[in-house]
Amino acid sequence: MPSSRRGASLALAFSVALGFGSAALAQVPVKVGVLADMSGIFSDIGGKGSLEATLMAVEDFKRLPGADALAIEVVSADAQNKPDIASNVVRTWFDSEGVDVLVDLPTSAISLAVASLVKDKNKVALFTASGTSELTGKSCTPNSVHWTYDTWALAHGTADAIAKAGGKRWFFLTADFALGHSLERDAAPVIAANGGKIVGSVRHSTDTKDFSSYLLQAQSSGAQIIALANAGGDTITAIKQAAEFGITAGGQKLAGMLLFISDIHSLGLATAQGLQLTTGFYWDVNDQTRAFGKRFAARNSGRYPSMNQAGAYSAVLTYLKAVAKVGSAKDGAAVVRAIRDMGPFEDPLFGRTQLREDGRVIHPMMLVQVKAPSESKGPFDYYKVLATIPADQAFRPLADGNCPLVK
């Protein structure tokens, strides 16, 4: 068994043949590879839920006119949050198994590691779970689509709102990998622009179990805001231990720079209430998002979709439409151009959406606040929307990213 199949007991495979169409129209093969964290600290925000969302996208594409032109197969593997393992999976998928497109890609380090490989093989990467804004900056490629969010958008949503509300002195608790570095870097000028100052920072390894020494440094720093520039299980652990240390009770506030609805569910509203965060998707916004959220939850043990899982659905559905338009999945750059040529379109989950030439998908983002337990009326009724940030303001201006594709 190839090394890319390590953890095969956690990997899932599913193939769907979308009819046969007319005899005159040969089916176009398309193979989708969901490369996600299936077992680690990011599995709740992507993982098997991203695979389920991808299968839902395939099912919904099947209902569209002309869908029988494509023969679609979906495979998946556990990235184990390790760039070397993820890269080995991708090479095997591309060289031996005919995978055309990657979805999810759970960390920024993994995404940066595979982006050049995707370009070299002329495939497509749908970055729906990674955050670093470098993917549409100096590391942009004509084969990359950064769909859901990025660190620039999160910083300019959450940090801007908190700084304008009076949070001037900040301490950063930062994961020591690409995502954490990007979150802190992109937030710093926003804080400074609002008259604020970063009074200290500390970096921690991924999957840290004990944040006590870091939290004590933050507590003694004199900061008003302790910014958590991490994600998934690390964010949950840090917030829980901050509560145990009485940090918020003592007057300091936590700022989750990257939080997901699954994190809020794990924390509980009693602990998470009042937290502000920026998100690209919330299931309870309109009739379409509610329908998707309830359908997803029915297939996912009652858990509603994170923005990463929603991103996997929308990105795959759009990708399949582009392949149908091109007539082949073999020229990845041509498929990405076809998505860009769609111009602004109405995505069922993200609203008005457009792919820019740097690979950044722009759509509205939302600043939300976690409800108090008394405000929640049912399962996963966790957010109240404070503001909607228009697409043209939610993401870094095209000219500021230094993407070599931008003329």
Side-chain angles (χ1 to χ4, degrees):
M1 182 173 290
S3 60
S4 66
R5 290 303 187 184
R6 278 176 281 184
S9 62
L10 297 171
L12 302 174
F14 184 89
S15 64
V16 179
L18 298 185
F20 290 96
S22 65
L25 183 62
Q27 281 192 300
V28 173
V30 185
K31 197 165 187 178
V32 181
V34 182
L35 185 58
D37 176 5
M38 297 295 185
S39 57
I41 62 171
F42 306 127
S43 56
D44 279 350
I45 62 181
K48 295 177 182 178
S50 287
L51 174 60
E52 197 62 52
T54 297
L55 298 178
M56 290 171 67
V58 172
E59 292 170 11
D60 289 351
F61 177 78
K62 181 179 178 180
R63 299 184 180 97
L64 300 177
D68 57 358
L70 304 187
I72 303 169
E73 183 179 359
V74 179
V75 297
S76 70
D78 189 347
Q80 300 181 45
N81 299 326
K82 297 178 179 178
D84 57 338
I85 290 177
S87 296
N88 287 336
V89 171
V90 170
R91 287 190 185 93
T92 299
W93 274 357
F94 287 170
D95 294 342
S96 306
E97 300 182 20
V99 168
D100 299 296
V101 57
L102 306 176
V103 187
D104 192 286
L105 299 146
T107 72
S108 295
I110 286 173
S111 296
L112 290 168
V114 305
S116 60
L117 180 58
V118 172
K119 177 186 174 184
D120 291 343
K121 299 293 184 179
N122 197 19
K123 306 289 187 175
V124 175
L126 301 174
F127 296 117
T128 59
S130 45
T132 179
S133 56
E134 290 300 324
L135 289 168
T136 54
K138 63 182 182 181
S139 297
C140 71
T141 83
N143 300 73
S144 299
V145 178
H146 200 180
W147 190 278
T148 314
Y149 69 95
D150 64 29
T151 52
W152 194 99
L154 298 175
H156 285 72
T158 306
D160 188 57
I162 292 174
K164 283 180 177 175
K168 302 301 184 185
R169 294 173 59 82
W170 292 63
F171 186 99
F172 271 82
L173 193 61
T174 301
D176 193 11
F177 66 104
L179 172 73
H181 301 169
S182 293
L183 281 168
E184 183 175 348
R185 180 202 65 213
D186 287 342
V190 180
I191 294 166
N194 284 285
K197 180 181 179 182
I198 297 175
V199 298
S201 66
V202 65
R203 292 181 173 179
H204 67 85
S205 60
T206 304
D207 202 12
T208 292
K209 304 302 183 186
D210 184 2
F211 281 88
S212 57
S213 63
Y214 307 129
L215 290 169
L216 287 172
Q217 290 181 58
Q219 193 174 36
S220 62
S221 68
Q224 298 167 282
I225 309 297
I226 301 173
L228 305 176
N230 47 23
D234 283 331
T235 305
I236 293 169
T237 301
I239 292 174
K240 286 180 176 178
Q241 292 182 5
E244 294 169 3
F245 275 90
I247 285 177
T248 52
Q252 290 175 301
K253 294 182 179 180
L254 300 179
M257 302 306 294
L258 177 56
L259 279 168
F260 297 87
I261 198 166
S262 52
D263 300 331
I264 306 306
H265 184 72
S266 296
L267 288 163
L269 293 182
T271 299
Q273 62 181 312
L275 283 171
Q276 290 185 9
L277 59 116
T278 303
T279 183
F281 171 82
Y282 178 43
W283 71 271
D284 197 17
V285 169
N286 57 46
D287 289 344
Q288 284 184 297
T289 58
R290 279 188 285 272
F292 174 79
K294 292 175 181 178
R295 179 179 159 211
F296 179 92
R299 301 165 60 134
N300 194 49
S301 304
R303 297 177 71 92
Y304 280 67
S306 71
M307 69 168 164
N308 288 357
Q309 292 157 347
Y313 171 88
S314 289
V316 170
L317 183 60
T318 302
Y319 168 83
L320 293 174
K321 292 177 182 178
V323 172
K325 182 178 178 181
V326 173
S328 171
K330 299 310 175 187
D331 185 346
V335 176
V336 172
R337 285 195 300 272
I339 297 175
R340 189 178 307 116
D341 290 344
M342 292 178 184
F345 61 91
E346 288 298 324
D347 182 83
L349 303 186
F350 290 83
R352 195 70 166 168
T353 298
Q354 183 175 7
L355 174 61
R356 298 191 315 201
E357 59 190 293
D358 60 350
R360 178 68 257 169
V361 171
I362 62 170
H363 50 72
M365 296 287 285
M366 291 171 283
L367 179 69
V368 303
Q369 182 170 307
V370 179
K371 292 181 176 181
S374 61
E375 297 174 301
S376 178
K377 296 180 173 60
F380 287 81
D381 176 24
Y382 293 163
Y383 294 161
K384 47 188 174 185
V385 179
L386 302 179
T388 298
I389 307 168
D392 61 350
Q393 299 175 27
F395 294 94
R396 180 176 58 201
L398 184 63
D400 293 349
N402 296 317
C403 168
L405 301 175
V406 177
K407 299 177 182 178

